[in-house]
């Protein structure tokens, strides 16, 4: 496929603007362009065809099964989009006075209430724009809490399991804390003995996700909460895996004090390719005074923004957070209503169905019922036939599926982390299992089929090492001043094998 610059023909335009009648002020010489910008010139139909064709090259949840473990790539109901596009919401200015934005404030307030209910805690801030930003915000609240108690200098350590998502240690470091890693035991739980030895009066808190990134619910979570609370430390819940437990068990009841929720995972937002997302935090009453400003509060029938919170850690994002995300998540929660528990039950059932069908063909690092996702390993395939997790993942693309997460969590060699979500019908789950079972057979009979995969995608397997070491991320304008006349080989293709 050609780049849009290669299709450019000088003089063509896809739009016209009406003539500007008013007098234009002179721009200072220094601010003026010396030459026109190098923009592609196409007529409207060519432009539409270009981007429509590009869109068909994309893989998304609307085109196929996307079992990317940890990311909860569920189908996003169209009604969410319709509501987010209502003119009253869409055209609202972020600086609109409260009086004229009552509906938006009420929606945010109601979303907060729903998240408080789901998490079993006390107060919510919608501001953080992603799970990772929620983590940082939560840790800053922890810091503010201990600072007020005069314990900040003493409590510098945060305990994190070795199965943790990479954002957890990153957030801990950004918030100025020290990491204390803790081991996973043979059943996939946190190793309580290892933990006990590492928790003392210098500990600020624990940060875990439950179910863990192994898709396992920690069987000792109440005991763990006792250990931390007995030394005055706090419990942080990474809510990225909330999809497994909505309406079934609540982080607050498990003993957690602070939680972030990934709206784009559990409560549906189109979130491939980096956003937009939402990472609200919900906290116990003792931490409420430190929440970011403004807080959205209700006074009788009116809603307002409260900036008068002297202990607040301040703002963590512009305005009140990613509003379009709030509309979609609120619509999603209201759509399930009191049945929200069903969502999690189906997600867990789907994952266990896949696990049951795949368990004989792949290695099982922890032989337990899973939650909404699970981890199998291609370790035996690698040892016996030389085809590992990456080869299985690439071959899956030939069968029309998005690969699962691979090589994570780090504690499982040749890991394949699979998350079906609640939105897939049984036929799709079966086709996916059939493909993975067929691939395991291919690994034994003709392993080169896996190692050369994918075979029939627009791009073959990339030389990832070379692409990282010699990253070419910019099209070579300087080499081709006359772009548009001659087709140009995209230089990125140098980094691809066989393309
Ligand atoms: C996705 C995820 C995060 C990070 O969330 P972002 O919204 O991507 O920043 C943190 N922890 C776990 C377990 C996750 O799956």
């Amino acid at each position: 496929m050609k780049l849009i610059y290669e299709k450019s023909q000088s003089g063509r335009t896809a739009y016209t603007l009406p003539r500007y009648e008013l007098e234009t002020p002179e721009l200072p010489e220094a601010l003026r362009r010396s030459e026109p910008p190098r923009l592609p010139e196409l007529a409207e139909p060519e432009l539409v065809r270009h981007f429509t064709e590009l869109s068909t090259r994309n893989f998304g949840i609307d085109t196929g099964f996307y079992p990317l473990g940890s990311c909860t790539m569920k189908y996003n109901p169209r009604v969410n989009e319709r509501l987010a596009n209502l003119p009253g919401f869409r055209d609202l200015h972020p600086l609109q006075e409260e009086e004229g934005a009552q509906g938006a404030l009420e929606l945010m307030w109601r979303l907060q209430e729903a998240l408080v209910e789901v998490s079993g805690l006390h107060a919510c801030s919608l501001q953080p724009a992603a799970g990772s930003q929620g983590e940082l915000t939560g840790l800053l609240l922890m810091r503010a809490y201990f600072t007020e108690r005069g314990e900040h200098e003493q409590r510098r350590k945060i305990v994190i399991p070795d199965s943790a998502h990479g954002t957890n240690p990153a957030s801990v470091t950004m918030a100025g804390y020290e990491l204390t890693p803790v081991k996973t035991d043979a059943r996939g739980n946190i190793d309580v003995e290892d933990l006990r030895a590492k928790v003392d009066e210098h500990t600020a808190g624990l940060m875990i996700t439950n179910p863990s990134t192994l898709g396992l619910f920690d069987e000792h979570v109440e005991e763990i909460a006792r250990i931390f609370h007995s030394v005055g430390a706090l419990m942080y819940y990474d809510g990225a895996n909330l999809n497994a437990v909505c309406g079934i068990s609540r982080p607050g009841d498990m003993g957690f004090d602070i939680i972030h929720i990934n709206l784009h995972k559990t409560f549906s937002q189109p979130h491939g390719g980096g956003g937009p997302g939402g990472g609200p935090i919900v906290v116990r009453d003792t931490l409420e005074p430190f929440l970011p400003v403004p807080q959205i509060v209700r006074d009788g029938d009116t809603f307002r923004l409260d900036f008068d919170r002297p202990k607040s850690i301040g703002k963590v994002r512009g305005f009140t957070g990613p509003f379009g995300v709030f509309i979609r998540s609120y619509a999603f929660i209201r759509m399930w209503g009191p049945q929200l528990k069903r969502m999690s039950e189906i997600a867990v059932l789907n994952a266990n169905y896949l696990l049951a069908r795949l368990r004989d063909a792949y290695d099982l690092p922890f032989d337990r019922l899973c939650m909404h996702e699970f981890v199998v390993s291609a370790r035996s395939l690698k040892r016996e036939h030389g085809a590992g997790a990456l080869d299985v993942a690439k071959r899956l693309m030939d069968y029309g599926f998005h690969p699962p997460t691979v090589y994570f969590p780090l504690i499982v060699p040749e890991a394949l982390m699979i998350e079906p979500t609640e939105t897939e019908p049984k036929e799709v789950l079966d086709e996916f299992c059939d493909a993975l079972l067929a691939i395991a057979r291919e690994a034994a009979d003709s392993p080169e089929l896996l190692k050369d995969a994918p075979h029939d995608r627009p791009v073959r397997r990339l030389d990832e090492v070379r692409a990282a070491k010699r990253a070419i991320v910019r099209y070579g304008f300087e080499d081709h001043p006359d772009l548009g006349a001659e087709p140009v080989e995209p230089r990125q293709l140098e980094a691809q094998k066989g393309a």
Side-chain angles (χ1 to χ4, degrees), residues 418-431:
I418 299 170
E419 177 178 8
T421 83
E422 73 281 4
T423 58
E424 295 302 328
K426 179 166 177 295
E427 303 83 73
V428 173
L429 301 181
D430 278 327
E431 283 164 23

Side-chain angles (χ1 to χ4, degrees), residues 70 130-132 135 165 167-168 209 213 238 240-241 260 262 264-265:
S70 205
S132 43
E135 290 171 26
H165 191 271
T167 52
N168 292 183
T209 178
T213 56
D238 174 335
N241 289 338
H260 83 255
N262 300 60
H264 45 292
K265 295 182 181 173

Side-chain angles (χ1 to χ4, degrees), residues 228-242:
F228 278 84
H229 288 154
S230 73
V231 297
L234 295 174
M235 297 269 290
Y236 184 98
Y237 183 95
D238 174 335
N241 289 338
L242 199 67

